[in-house]
């Protein structure tokens, strides 16, 4: 897992440049070919019993590198496929599919592993990757503008676009901290509390995670018809709500209250995710969108390994309840301060007259 994340971080900026220079669908197709081959090698190693930590880490490096090209490409493709007035609905629809996969994928994989072996789970993944390649061939996109500049110039242009927008770099910096707190206090601290506090328990933690996913899933459906007139304002309000289950996890981790709080947090996460994507796609020129997105993703990924390592130590060195409660408070403060930045609070939609339906 460390190899996967580290490789993604290393290649993200290059992935953003390539996604702006080359046809984005072709970039994704090429990465899927590489991933299918990598998954096939992994399956073969598991079938033959030759898999080792080193070999699996090597395949994870390749998978992480391809992710660094796929994610900025996907971010840049969406505005090319749909009109601006449908960007929110398109992003909400994508989130709906991702939520279904996030909930159902582990269930299916668990059944495959339980009924056969882990190798067959990789075989199925490889089939899915191969099937996606001809589907992407059906997508017709305009050709990117030919670039006469070199890699470093493209990176510098992307950085200039990134830092010239206060709302953009402020939120990315804030999320560097928020992601470290969330992955540490929630993803590391949650299982720790579930294992050691009978008030929650492992089964209860499963219900809480299910409620989080349900909140996200329901909100994607709502956002398909309820326009966000202030995408960043409502998005950051949603992020303030994410602090609520953290606070409960540290103060009183009872299952039912935590489920309710997790559902609200899941809704808040989805409001921000959709609002953020819409703000990026409407306010960053399409020819540099993948590069700017790669800087955004880099800020998010860098914080995650730090959060897991730091909280692994904090939870064992101090009182877990105090650590998680303090994290929830800090999380809420950072989200509120970010919300108070004028360009975050005031940003509206660039095209309003095309929106239909009630306005949030």
């Amino acid at each position: 897992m460390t190899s996967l994340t580290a490789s993604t971080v290393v290649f993200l900026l290059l992935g953003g440049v390539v996604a702006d220079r080359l046809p984005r669908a072709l970039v994704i197709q090429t990465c899927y070919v590489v991933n299918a081959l990598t998954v096939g090698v992994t399956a073969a190693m598991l079938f033959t019993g030759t898999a080792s930590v080193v070999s699996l880490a090597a395949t994870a490096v390749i998978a992480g590198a391809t992710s660094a090209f796929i994610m900025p490409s996907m971010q840049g493709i969406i505005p090319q496929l749909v009109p601006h007035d449908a960007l929110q609905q398109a992003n909400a629809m994508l989130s709906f599919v991702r939520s279904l996969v996030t909930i159902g994928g582990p269930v299916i994989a668990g059944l495959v592993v339980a009924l056969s072996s882990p190798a067959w789970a990789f075989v199925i993944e490889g089939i899915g990757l191969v099937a996606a390649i001809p589907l992407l061939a059906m997508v017709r996109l305009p050709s990117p503008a030919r670039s006469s500049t070199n890699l470093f110039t493209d990176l510098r242009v992307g950085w200039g676009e990134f830092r010239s927008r206060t709302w953009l770099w402020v939120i990315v910096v804030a999320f560097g901290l928020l992601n470290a707190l969330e992955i540490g206090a929630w993803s590391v601290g949650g299982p720790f509390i579930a294992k050691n506090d009978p008030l929650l328990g492992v089964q209860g933690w499963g219900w809480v995670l299910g409620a989080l996913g349900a909140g996200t899933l329901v909100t994607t459906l709502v956002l398909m018809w309820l326009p966000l007139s202030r995408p960043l304002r409502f998005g950051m309000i949603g992020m303030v709500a994410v602090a609520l289950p953290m606070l409960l996890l540290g103060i009183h981790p009872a299952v039912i209250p935590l489920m309710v709080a997790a559902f609200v947090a899941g809704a808040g996460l989805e409001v921000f995710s959709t609002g953020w994507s819409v703000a990026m796609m409407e306010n960053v020129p399409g020819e540099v969108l993948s590069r700017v997105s790669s800087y955004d993703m880099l800020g998010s990924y860098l914080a995650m390994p730090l959060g897991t390592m730091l909280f692994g130590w904090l939870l064992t060195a101090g009182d877990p309840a105090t650590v998680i409660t303090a994290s929830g408070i800090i999380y809420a403060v950072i989200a509120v301060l970010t919300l108070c930045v004028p360009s975050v609070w005031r940003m509206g939609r660039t095209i309003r007259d095309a929106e239909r339906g009630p306005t949030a």
Side-chain angles (χ1 to χ4, degrees):
M1 294 304 295
T2 301
S3 299
L4 182 77
T5 305
S7 179
T8 301
V9 168
V10 168
F11 287 99
L12 257 175
L13 295 183
L14 176 61
V17 171
V18 170
D20 280 336
R21 279 175 170 253
L22 300 178
R24 288 164 176 148
L26 179 61
V27 173
I28 298 173
Q29 284 176 303
T30 304
C31 291
Y32 281 176
V33 171
V34 174
N35 280 347
L37 293 172
T38 305
V39 166
V41 170
T42 304
M45 291 191 297
L46 291 172
F47 275 124
T48 59
T50 57
S52 65
V53 173
V54 173
S55 63
L56 292 176
T59 58
V61 167
I62 299 173
T66 56
S67 295
F69 290 83
I70 292 171
M71 292 188 295
S73 298
M74 286 294 293
Q75 190 76 357
I77 273 182
I78 299 169
Q80 293 181 291
L81 290 176
V82 300
H84 275 71
D85 61 315
L87 280 175
Q88 179 181 316
Q89 289 81 359
N91 280 285
M93 190 177 296
L94 285 170
S95 293
F96 178 75
V97 175
R98 278 195 298 266
S99 297
L100 285 179
V101 172
T102 301
I103 295 170
V107 174
I108 296 171
L111 289 173
V112 171
V113 171
L115 297 174
S116 55
S117 72
W120 282 106
F122 282 92
V123 170
I124 295 172
E125 181 186 0
I127 293 172
L129 287 165
V130 171
I133 294 169
L135 289 176
L136 277 170
M138 299 167 63
V139 176
R140 295 289 181 264
L141 299 172
S143 300
R146 297 183 67 87
S147 176
S148 59
T149 56
N150 58 39
L151 170 66
F152 296 103
T153 300
D154 284 353
L155 283 174
R156 188 167 62 250
V157 170
W159 173 251
E161 294 283 351
F162 175 83
R163 68 184 178 86
S164 67
R165 294 166 170 81
T166 302
W167 60 269
L168 179 54
W169 65 259
V170 164
I171 287 183
V172 170
V173 170
F175 265 79
L177 300 172
L178 294 177
N179 285 340
L181 289 168
E182 183 181 354
I183 199 168
W186 186 253
S187 299
V188 178
F192 186 91
I193 296 294
K195 181 180 178 181
N196 295 285
D197 192 329
L199 191 62
L200 179 57
V202 174
Q203 184 176 5
W205 180 242
W207 283 105
V208 170
L209 293 181
L212 182 74
T216 301
L217 195 64
V218 170
T219 306
T220 60
L221 297 175
V222 173
L223 291 177
M224 287 183 192
W225 66 272
L226 182 65
L228 294 171
S229 60
R230 304 285 180 179
L232 296 185
R233 180 188 301 181
F234 288 104
M236 288 312 303
I237 291 173
M239 294 312 299
V240 175
V242 176
L244 181 59
M246 285 190 206
L247 292 170
L248 283 177
L249 185 64
I251 297 170
H252 185 67
V255 176
I256 299 300
L258 254 181
M259 286 180 64
V260 174
F263 183 91
V264 173
L269 285 168
E270 180 52 37
V271 172
F272 175 81
S273 177
T274 298
W276 177 247
S277 295
V278 169
M280 289 275 285
M281 293 173 188
E282 287 188 347
N283 293 278
V284 178
E287 62 271 16
V288 295
L289 180 56
S290 291
R291 271 171 285 174
V292 173
S293 296
S294 68
Y295 281 106
D296 163 33
M297 295 169 188
L298 182 64
S300 298
Y301 271 83
L302 280 174
M304 292 180 181
L306 178 62
T308 53
M309 290 187 293
L310 178 62
F311 275 81
W313 172 74
L314 287 173
L315 291 167
T316 52
D319 176 52
T322 302
V323 170
I324 294 173
T325 303
S327 299
I329 294 171
I330 297 171
Y331 191 101
V333 169
I334 293 172
V336 169
L337 290 176
T338 306
L339 184 62
C340 292
V341 174
S343 57
V344 173
W345 179 262
R346 295 172 185 166
M347 177 179 285
R349 300 292 300 276
T350 58
I351 301 176
R352 292 194 187 173
D353 55 352
E355 292 180 348
R356 297 187 180 95
T359 302

